[in-house]
């Protein structure tokens, strides 16, 4: 993310700060789709939050963690905790990364008398973006307008770890002109799974193909989700199949930032 969004935390109490949010940008957003990060900031500020983007944040550590490299994952977790723990709320535009911070950090550092409690304290303040907007801020209507027919993919981590299901649908329901048609098996994995798609490409592709079939069956011209990993995986599969369905992060639609090319599309 641009350093223009970065700021230092207010060291006062959570009550004094109100909804002071640390945005955990995530690696994929930072490197592949920064517009999602800017959309997240726009939405959080519109919901009355003060947003900071701590400079010291890096990866959440999932690649190392999922590959069994616990030593590297612990080091990354400690860096992330140190970067974010002074903020009363930590929000990520990714259920996968939010799930790592909220559920796997406490497990990863449970045997450490210093970092274990710090990991749990952080975990108690971690939210996925749509979850935070709808459930914590109580705001679902951001005045977005988009004439499109969409369907929504529930990512595994967002749904099963962060328990995010209704929030993105409530938010999309307030977008003027947007029609949402649910796909069959919307909670089925897209086949990405981080390193899973690298270790088991044939299985991953088969899962993506099945997911694309359910997307096509809705007749939608726009696929939305809250995890960029899933979106990149499905955008790639749709593109290889010659599909004209656009793929975007839900935050981009809610923030009215759909002028840029969709994920996987060339710059106009």
């Amino acid at each position: 993310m641009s350093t223009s969004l970065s700021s230092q935390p207010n060291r006062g109490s959570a009550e004094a700060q109100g909804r002071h949010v640390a945005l955990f940008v995530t690696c994929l957003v930072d490197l592949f789709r920064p517009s999602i990060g800017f959309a997240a900031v726009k939405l959080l500020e519109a919901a009355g939050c003060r947003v900071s983007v701590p400079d010291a944040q890096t990866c959440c550590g999932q690649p190392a963690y999922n590959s069994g490299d616990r030593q590297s994952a612990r080091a990354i977790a400690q860096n992330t905790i140190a970067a974010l723990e002074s903020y009363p709320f930590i929000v990520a535009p990714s259920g996968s990364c939010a799930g790592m911070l909220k559920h796997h950090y406490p497990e990863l550092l449970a045997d450490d008398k210093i970092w274990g409690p710090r990991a749990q304290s952080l975990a108690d303040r971690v939210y996925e973006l749509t979850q935070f907007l709808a459930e914590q801020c109580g705001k679902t209507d951001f005045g977005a307008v988009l004439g499109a027919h969409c369907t929504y993919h529930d990512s595994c981590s967002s749904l099963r770890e962060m328990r995010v299901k209704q929030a993105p649908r409530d938010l999309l329901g307030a977008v003027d002109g947007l029609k949402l048609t649910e796909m069959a098996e919307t909670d089925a994995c897209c086949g990405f799974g981080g390193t899973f798609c690298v270790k088991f490409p044939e299985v991953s592709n088969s899962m993506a193909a099945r997911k694309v079939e359910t997307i096509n069956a809705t007749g939608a011209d726009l696929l939305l989700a809250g995890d960029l990993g899933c979106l990149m995986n499905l955008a790639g599969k749709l593109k290889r199949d010659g599909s004209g369905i656009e793929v975007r992060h839900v935050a981009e639609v809610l923030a009215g930032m759909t002028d840029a090319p969709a994920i996987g599309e060339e710059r106009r």
Side-chain angles (χ1 to χ4, degrees), residues 185-204:
E185 300 179 355
T186 184
D187 58 350
C189 181
C190 73
F192 176 61
T195 55
F196 174 84
C197 66
V198 177
K199 294 178 180 178
F200 306 101
E202 293 182 359
V203 177
S204 174

Side-chain angles (χ1 to χ4, degrees), residues 5-23 40-54 86-91 132-133 137:
L5 292 178
S6 302
S7 60
Q8 293 302 312
N10 183 327
R11 301 287 179 178
S13 68
E15 292 78 10
Q17 295 173 47
R19 289 194 174 94
H20 186 187
V21 173
L23 180 66
V41 171
K42 182 179 179 180
L43 292 168
L44 289 165
E45 290 182 341
C49 300
R50 182 158 60 96
V51 185
S52 295
V53 184
S86 16
Y87 298 88
F89 300 98
I90 298 92
V91 176
F132 186 76
L133 294 171
C137 298

